[in-house]
């Protein structure tokens, strides 16, 4: 009980000698500093709230308009609409003080009118999505409406330097497509997957749905779209994530890797300390709203809503549905090492600890001789268990006492840090090392990652890092932005000395990390069952990370094709060769052009892509025909991606109609069949270079291998890819080992062969149709 006594900051007792007051100066200072820090954050949030509420206007412009109003009034001129005199009539008297007050109120009224006019003008402008469909081919001309739109948006969006959430009030709502349009797009998307008989049956079901129950469901959904910020996002979070009962490990969480072509230090404690410090800097940018919002083409803002829960967040299990809990502040992280849990303070004596001070704490943990308590080593397996079973165990064994206190310490931490006892390795000559790296990040051993936390930072004993992230609180693009920022800052900060340790000398001895206490004997059977379940789950998953260095987006652009569409066609060809058929394919796209937007599904398997794949497998098709069919397939895919980003997708609309039907207890054969179709090929592109900070010309080795996720279907593949450079692509391919039809190594070979075949096809096409040489007259190309 030594820790419990040390935690007492103040005690009061009455004795025969009088009052006996005992208190701990250090703990009381910690409490006082925490309160001061909390109030500072409240003031900062209030100030940022005012700034964001009037954006794109500047709050300081109020004083300029006030000065003008005062000058006009005392010079004998009337303010617009004679506001000053109209307000003065209702004030107690006509003295100088009340005249100044009237001038200020008139200026405030005019200023607010200007602010909201600018804000809603920007909102109306951002509803325009015609720019998305403008051709970006060399030599193509932009339409006059889009040119005018660009000019006005650029002026409004650059009028005042925005904060992270400045554009939130100006972003439009996600539009609700008509049932007819969604049915038309859906039927077109499934045509290559169905024979004539099944397609005719699906047409009948879709037509019946559109003419009957679909109209009623759409009316309810229309009402929701009017009354909610985003008609999809809350239901998507609730029913796709929080109500899911399967383990988060493999099935939901995703991972990200280090910059694999460089190793800044081989000292585990030094890398961990710098990573902690850089992540806390990123958290500060979010909390102070100093992080610049992502701007498409430098002027069109993306929704920043998801950043709010990046830190201090946990998914708490429930018997029927989980819930996301976000703590407004946290001054500690939790470190997991050799099965032991430690609380590590990151804020001390009025400031955040520096890397050299954090390294002292990390070294103390690494050098500790502590051994796990009974059941402690496998405790995190509970977070990799069935959600209802974990919730029942949590309610029974972790709702009171030291287990409750320790669990709350983990859940309220800024994030979890796992110090692994094995290296994270990479070698181009030994691809199995990168595969092992990915597996360690995707699931670890099943009990060395706290899968409920917003993210767990994993540090190998050779200094390489990665992360495992929970998916509910955000999409992968947010975690990718955080990680990209960290990698760049880790290089540019030059935070390591010649020995590989962090630079600097600690100003004081930082507080020692404290062990978390547990009483796990009552729940040892549950921990053992969860460990067996987690081990079985991770043994059923195989992962292959393919490194393609023959060419990258440079060659794709030379072919005048969208790199993403190019890769999706590669995957279609590879899957057809692997499975001998086409399959429903999922590609995630964002809808963050709208407020609280998350994702929409692009369906890459189209009529055009199927025609091209069949042409590639038909020896009688000419090379020119194949090239033309591929261009048509890529154009079609690009249109589908644009539709998805602009709120004209298929699957989120159908999903919401299905939710309404369940609320109304109405059965729809069409929706039941659509929502039960398996995604045997689930794909996602990892964003790269989201901000100008990622400068590969300056730091050519600053390339992350991206990240990946587990397979969505038991008989399918999960494929994440990152186009990392002009001549580099990474593919993260996952599948279940229990399925005889899937093999990640075979699929990787099919991807490599498809990439080579398409390159050969285009090179032959370029050889057959060489571009005419440019003739020059007086130095000017004709």
């Amino acid at each position: 009980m030594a820790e419990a006594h040390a935690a007492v900051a103040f005690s009061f007792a009455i004795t025969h000698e009088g009052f006996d007051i005992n208190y701990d100066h250090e703990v009381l200072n910690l409490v006082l500093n925490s309160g001061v820090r909390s109030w500072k954050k409240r003031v900062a949030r209030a100030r940022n709230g005012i700034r964001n509420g009037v954006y794109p206007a500047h709050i300081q412009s109020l004083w300029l308009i006030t000065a003008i109003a005062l000058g006009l009034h005392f010079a004998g001129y009337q303010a617009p609409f004679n506001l000053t005199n109209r307000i003065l009539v209702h004030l107690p008297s006509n003295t100088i003080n009340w005249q100044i007050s009237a001038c200020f109120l008139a200026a405030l009224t005019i200023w607010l009118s200007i602010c909201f006019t600018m804000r809603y003008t920007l909102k109306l402008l951002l509803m325009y999505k015609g720019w998305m469909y403008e051709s970006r081919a060399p030599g193509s001309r932009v339409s006059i409406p889009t040119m005018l739109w660009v000019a006005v948006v650029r002026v409004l969006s650059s009028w005042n330097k925005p904060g992270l959430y400045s554009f939130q009030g100006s972003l439009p709502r996600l539009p609700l497509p008509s049932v007819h349009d969604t049915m038309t797009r859906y039927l077109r998307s499934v045509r290559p997957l169905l024979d004539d008989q099944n397609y005719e049956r699906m047409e009948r079901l879709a037509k019946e749905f559109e003419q009957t129950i679909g109209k009623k469901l759409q009316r309810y959904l229309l009402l929701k779209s009017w009354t909610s910020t985003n008609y999809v996002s809350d239901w998507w979070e609730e029913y796709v994530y929080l109500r899911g009962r399967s383990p988060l490990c493999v099935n939901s969480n995703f991972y990200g890797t280090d910059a694999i072509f460089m190793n800044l230090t081989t000292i585990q404690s030094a890398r961990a300390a710098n990573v902690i410090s850089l992540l806390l800097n990123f958290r500060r940018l979010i909390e102070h709203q100093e992080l610049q919002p992502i701007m498409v083409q430098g002027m069109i803002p993306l929704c920043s809503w998801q950043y709010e829960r990046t830190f201090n967040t946990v998914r708490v299990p429930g018997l029927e549905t989980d819930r996301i809990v976000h703590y407004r502040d946290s001054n500690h992280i939790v470190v997991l090492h050799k099965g032991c849990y430690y609380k590590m303070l990151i804020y001390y004596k009025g400031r955040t600890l520096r890397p050299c001070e954090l390294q002292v704490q990390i070294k103390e943990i690494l050098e500790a001789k502590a051994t796990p308590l009974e059941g402690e080593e496998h405790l995190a397996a509970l977070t990799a268990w069935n959600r209802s079973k974990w919730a029942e165990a949590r309610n029974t064994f972790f709702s009171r006492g030291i287990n409750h206190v320790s669990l709350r310490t983990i859940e309220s931490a800024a994030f979890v840090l796992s110090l692994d006892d094995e290296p994270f390795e990479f070698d181009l000559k030994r691809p199995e090392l990168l595969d092992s790296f990915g597996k360690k990040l995707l699931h670890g051993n099943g009990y060395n990652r706290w899968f409920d936390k917003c993210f767990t930072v994993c540090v190998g004993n050779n200094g390489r890092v990665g992360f495992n992230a929970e998916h509910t609180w955000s999409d992968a693009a947010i975690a990718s932005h955080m990680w990209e920022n960290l990698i760049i800052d880790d290089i540019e900060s030059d935070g390591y000395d010649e020995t590989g340790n962090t630079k600097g000398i600690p100003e004081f001895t930082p507080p020692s990390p404290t062990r978390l206490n547990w009483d796990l004997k009552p729940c040892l059977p549950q921990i053992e069952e969860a460990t067996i379940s987690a081990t079985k789950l991770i043994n059923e998953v195989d992962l292959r990370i393919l490194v393609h260095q023959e060419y990258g987006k440079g060659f794709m652009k030379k072919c005048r094709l969208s790199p993403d569409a190019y890769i999706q066609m590669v995957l279609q060809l590879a899957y057809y060769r692997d499975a001998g058929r086409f399959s429903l394919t999922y590609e995630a796209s964002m809808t963050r052009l709208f407020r609280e937007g998350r994702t929409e599904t692009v369906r890459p398997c189209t009529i055009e892509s199927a025609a091209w794949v069949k042409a590639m497998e038909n020896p009688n098709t000419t090379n020119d025909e194949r090239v033309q069919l591929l261009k048509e397939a890529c154009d079609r895919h690009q249109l589908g991606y644009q539709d998805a980003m602009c709120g004209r997708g298929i699957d989120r609309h159908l999903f919401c109609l299905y939710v309404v039907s369940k609320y109304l207890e109405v059965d729809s054969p069409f929706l039941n069949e659509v929502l039960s179709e398996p995604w045997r090929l689930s794909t996602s592109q990892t964003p790269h270079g989201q901000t100008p900070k990622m400068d590969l010309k300056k730091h050519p080795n600053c390339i992350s291998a991206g990240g990946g996720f587990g397979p969505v279907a038991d008989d399918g593949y999960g494929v994440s890819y990152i186009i990392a450079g002009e001549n580099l692509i990474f593919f993260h391919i996952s599948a279940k080992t229990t399925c005889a039809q899937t093999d990640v190594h075979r699929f990787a070979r099919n991807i490599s062969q498809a990439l080579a075949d398409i390159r050969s096809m285009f090179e032959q096409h370029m050889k057959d149709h060489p571009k005419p040489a440019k003739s020059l007259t007086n130095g000017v190309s004709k």
Side-chain angles (χ1 to χ4, degrees):
M1 296 296 290
E3 293 84 358
H5 287 297
V8 176
F10 179 87
S11 62
F12 175 82
I14 300 176
T15 68
H16 65 279
E17 297 179 352
F19 298 108
D20 181 17
I21 301 175
N22 185 25
Y23 59 91
D24 188 321
H25 283 285
E26 185 174 354
V27 178
L28 287 180
N29 283 333
L30 283 175
V31 173
L32 180 62
N33 288 334
S34 178
V36 171
R37 183 164 174 256
S38 177
W39 276 104
K40 284 182 178 179
K41 287 194 170 187
R42 292 183 184 181
V43 171
R45 289 190 189 106
R47 184 176 63 250
N48 286 325
I50 295 172
R51 183 183 70 170
N52 295 334
V54 301
Y55 191 86
H58 199 293
I59 193 168
Q60 293 180 357
S61 60
L62 171 61
W63 314 125
L64 175 62
I65 295 177
T66 301
I68 293 173
L70 286 168
L72 289 174
H73 178 73
F74 288 106
Y77 297 99
Q78 289 186 358
F81 307 106
N82 197 23
L83 274 177
T84 304
N85 292 328
R86 289 186 178 185
I87 293 173
L88 194 57
V89 171
H90 300 283
L91 297 180
S93 67
N94 197 21
T95 63
I96 294 295
N97 289 339
W98 288 114
Q99 289 182 45
I100 293 174
S101 299
C103 289
F104 175 75
L105 291 173
L108 180 63
T109 303
I110 295 170
W111 180 72
L112 287 174
S113 301
I114 294 173
C115 288
F116 286 105
T117 299
M118 293 177 67
R119 180 170 174 170
Y120 284 101
T121 300
L122 182 59
K123 188 169 187 174
L124 288 171
L125 288 168
L126 292 178
M127 290 181 181
Y128 173 70
K129 295 294 182 288
W131 62 274
M132 282 282 293
Y133 299 90
E134 298 277 356
S135 174
R136 292 169 177 79
S140 60
R141 298 186 62 181
V142 179
S143 65
I144 293 177
T146 298
M147 290 176 65
L148 294 173
W149 174 83
V150 166
V152 180
V153 170
R154 193 176 294 277
V155 169
L156 286 176
S157 60
S158 60
W159 184 271
N160 181 13
K161 184 180 179 181
L164 179 60
Y165 304 124
S166 292
F167 288 106
Q168 293 302 101
S170 300
L171 290 171
R173 295 183 180 184
L174 183 70
L176 178 67
S178 69
V179 175
H180 176 75
D181 288 347
T182 298
M183 293 300 102
T184 302
R185 294 190 184 101
Y186 172 78
L187 290 172
R188 196 182 195 287
S189 73
V190 298
R191 187 63 188 95
L193 307 174
L194 303 174
D195 56 29
D196 293 343
Q197 182 178 356
N198 282 317
Y199 181 73
E200 289 175 2
R201 182 182 64 83
M202 186 56 71
E203 271 190 319
R204 290 195 299 271
L205 286 175
K207 186 176 182 179
E208 178 185 356
F209 173 78
E210 181 183 345
Q211 294 177 348
T212 55
I213 188 62
K215 294 180 179 179
K216 181 179 181 180
L217 301 181
Q218 180 76 352
R219 284 195 293 269
Y220 281 96
L221 200 54
L222 183 63
L223 180 62
K224 185 176 190 293
S225 72
W226 288 344
T227 57
S228 60
T229 307
N230 187 301
Y231 79 92
V232 175
S233 293
D234 56 340
W235 283 354
W236 184 253
E237 182 175 298
E238 174 72 17
Y239 295 106
V240 173
Y241 292 112
L242 296 177
R243 285 187 179 268
R245 300 293 84 195
S246 58
L248 301 183
C249 175
V250 174
N251 297 309
S252 179
N253 287 27
F254 60 93
Y255 69 89
T257 63
D258 201 357
I260 59 174
F261 289 110
M262 63 182 184
N263 204 357
L264 299 173
T265 179
T266 58
I267 300 176
Q268 186 178 24
S269 60
R271 188 73 195 281
N274 260 336
V275 165
I276 293 170
S277 179
L278 293 170
L279 287 172
L280 294 178
N281 288 340
F282 192 79
R283 183 178 74 160
R284 183 186 61 79
L285 291 176
I286 293 175
E287 289 176 343
H288 293 185
Q289 300 186 26
E290 294 172 0
L291 185 69
Q292 292 297 297
I294 302 293
M295 307 283 281
V296 179
Q297 298 184 0
M299 63 175 182
I300 304 151
L302 298 184
C303 178
S304 300
W305 161 68
Q306 296 178 53
Y307 286 90
E308 183 179 355
R309 302 185 293 185
T310 306
F311 296 87
N312 323 335
T313 300
V314 66
R315 174 168 165 173
V316 177
L319 295 175
E320 295 183 357
T321 181
D322 294 355
R323 57 193 175 93
I324 285 288
V325 176
H326 173 69
Y327 295 87
R328 298 298 295 269
D329 192 17
S330 178
N331 65 354
H332 72 278
I333 65 170
V334 166
V335 182
L336 172 57
H337 177 58
K338 290 186 176 180
C340 300
Y341 292 82
Y342 300 85
K343 177 182 179 180
M344 191 174 116
L345 290 180
I346 53 180
Y347 191 84
Y348 188 66
K349 291 193 174 181
R351 65 169 175 82
T352 303
L353 296 177
R354 294 172 182 148
C356 58
E357 295 157 353
L358 293 168
Q359 186 178 0
V360 172
Q361 296 175 298
I362 297 293
K363 287 178 68 176
E364 190 174 339
I365 293 173
L366 290 172
E367 294 169 359
K369 305 299 182 181
T371 56
L373 301 171
E374 188 175 8
E376 184 180 15
E377 182 178 7
H378 294 169
L379 176 63
L382 293 171
T383 67
W385 203 15
N386 174 277
R387 301 305 291 173
S388 296
K389 291 182 178 180
W390 168 211
E392 186 176 352
R394 187 179 188 276
N395 294 340
T396 304
F397 305 108
F398 296 87
S399 59
R400 63 185 66 86
I402 59 174
N403 286 349
H404 174 73
V405 173
S406 295
L407 180 61
R408 182 177 173 82
T409 300
I410 295 175
E411 294 183 340
S412 64
F415 54 88
V416 171
L417 177 76
S418 178
L419 299 171
D420 288 10
D421 283 331
E422 52 188 344
F424 298 162
E425 298 177 290
F426 169 70
D427 188 341
L428 282 173
K429 296 180 181 179
R430 298 176 61 192
E432 69 276 5
L433 292 179
L434 189 56
D435 297 347
S436 176
F437 191 174
K439 291 175 183 177
K440 291 170 185 175
L441 297 177
L442 176 62
H443 48 62
N445 57 19
Y447 47 82
N448 60 352
R449 312 281 181 257
W450 198 268
F451 296 102
D452 285 0
K453 276 301 290 182
C454 44
F455 61 90
T456 299
V457 176
C458 313
V459 188
N461 61 13
N462 61 345
R464 290 195 180 276
V465 297
F467 71 89
N468 178 288
E470 203 279 315
H471 211 329
T472 311
W473 63 271
S474 83
D475 301 312
I478 308 301
S480 175
H481 182 192
M482 174 190 72
W483 204 244
E484 181 179 293
N485 192 84
L486 180 146
I487 289 174
I488 288 293
D489 285 349
D490 205 4
I491 298 169
E492 295 187 340
S493 63
D494 189 25
Y496 307 95
D497 61 23
E498 61 278 0
T499 65
N501 287 294
T502 54
K503 289 184 176 180
I505 300 174
E507 292 184 359
F508 48 75
T509 301
S512 296
T514 56
R515 276 286 304 275
L516 300 187
N517 283 321
W518 307 95
D519 178 16
L520 301 174
K521 288 183 180 179
C523 59
L524 288 178
Q526 286 79 6
I527 293 176
E528 182 179 1
E529 184 181 345
T531 304
I532 294 171
S533 175
T535 303
K536 180 176 182 293
L537 177 64
I538 64 180
N539 287 339
E540 290 177 349
V541 177
D542 200 4
L543 180 70
R544 174 80 175 91
I545 302 179
L546 172 65
V547 185
H548 180 76
Q549 289 186 295
E550 282 68 31
Y551 68 93
K553 65 180 178 182
F555 178 77
M556 300 171 194
K557 290 179 179 179
K558 189 177 178 181
C559 300
R560 295 191 175 184
L561 295 176
S562 157
D564 180 72
Y566 188 105
I567 295 297
Q568 285 294 334
M569 295 308 109
V570 166
L571 294 176
Q572 288 299 308
L573 179 57
Y575 185 85
Y576 187 82
R577 289 172 173 174
D578 187 88
R581 66 178 188 275
F582 297 109
S583 178
L584 190 62
T585 307
Y586 180 104
E587 182 189 5
S589 77
M590 66 167 185
T591 56
R592 287 171 59 202
L593 291 169
F594 303 95
R595 191 170 182 181
E596 294 186 12
R598 291 204 59 163
T599 61
E600 177 57 274
T601 304
V602 183
R603 296 185 169 215
C605 185
T606 61
I607 296 171
E608 290 78 7
S609 70
W612 169 72
V613 168
K614 290 178 180 177
M616 289 295 290
E617 298 300 278
N618 183 358
N620 297 323
T621 308
T622 66
N623 195 68
D624 287 353
E625 290 174 330
R626 291 174 177 173
V627 169
Q628 182 59 34
L629 287 171
L630 177 57
K631 289 182 177 179
E632 292 174 1
C634 287
D635 288 344
R636 183 68 210 183
H637 177 81
Q638 194 69 359
L639 177 62
Y641 204 100
Q642 291 162 343
D643 282 344
M645 288 184 66
C646 294
R648 299 170 185 156
I650 300 168
D651 293 277
R652 299 300 178 268
H653 186 200
L654 293 177
F655 162 75
C656 288
L657 290 170
Y658 179 77
V659 173
V660 175
S661 73
K662 291 303 177 183
Y663 273 121
L664 297 177
E665 297 182 349
V666 175
D667 187 62
S668 168
F670 171 75
L671 290 177
N672 290 338
E673 184 163 342
V674 170
L675 271 296
S676 64
E677 293 171 345
W679 301 97
R680 292 192 175 89
L681 183 57
S682 182
T683 72
S684 179
Q685 178 181 181
T686 302
H688 192 255
Q690 295 190 63
T691 65
K693 292 185 69 170
M694 179 63 79
D695 187 353
L696 294 181
K697 292 182 180 179
K698 185 178 179 182
H699 304 291
N701 289 329
C702 185
I703 294 175
S704 170
F709 50 88
V712 174
D714 290 339
D715 58 346
Y717 293 104
V719 182
S720 175
Y721 55 93
I722 179 170
I723 307 171
E726 296 297 316
N727 295 291
L728 185 62
I729 311 170
F730 292 94
F731 294 88
H732 300 247
I733 308 161
S734 62
K736 292 289 184 72
T737 58
T738 52
C739 178
Q741 288 76 38
T742 56
D743 184 316
V744 294
H745 301 281
R746 184 184 68 217
F747 194 53
R749 290 193 296 271
N750 283 327
I751 290 175
S752 295
Q753 188 60 52
L755 285 163
D757 290 348
I758 297 175
R759 181 180 188 178
S760 176
M761 177 185 75
F762 267 106
E763 286 178 342
Q764 182 63 43
H765 180 73
M766 294 173 186
K767 184 178 179 181
D768 294 340
H769 304 278
K771 290 184 179 180
K774 293 182 179 179
S775 60
L776 299 179
T777 303
N778 296 327
V780 180
S781 177
K782 286 186 177 180

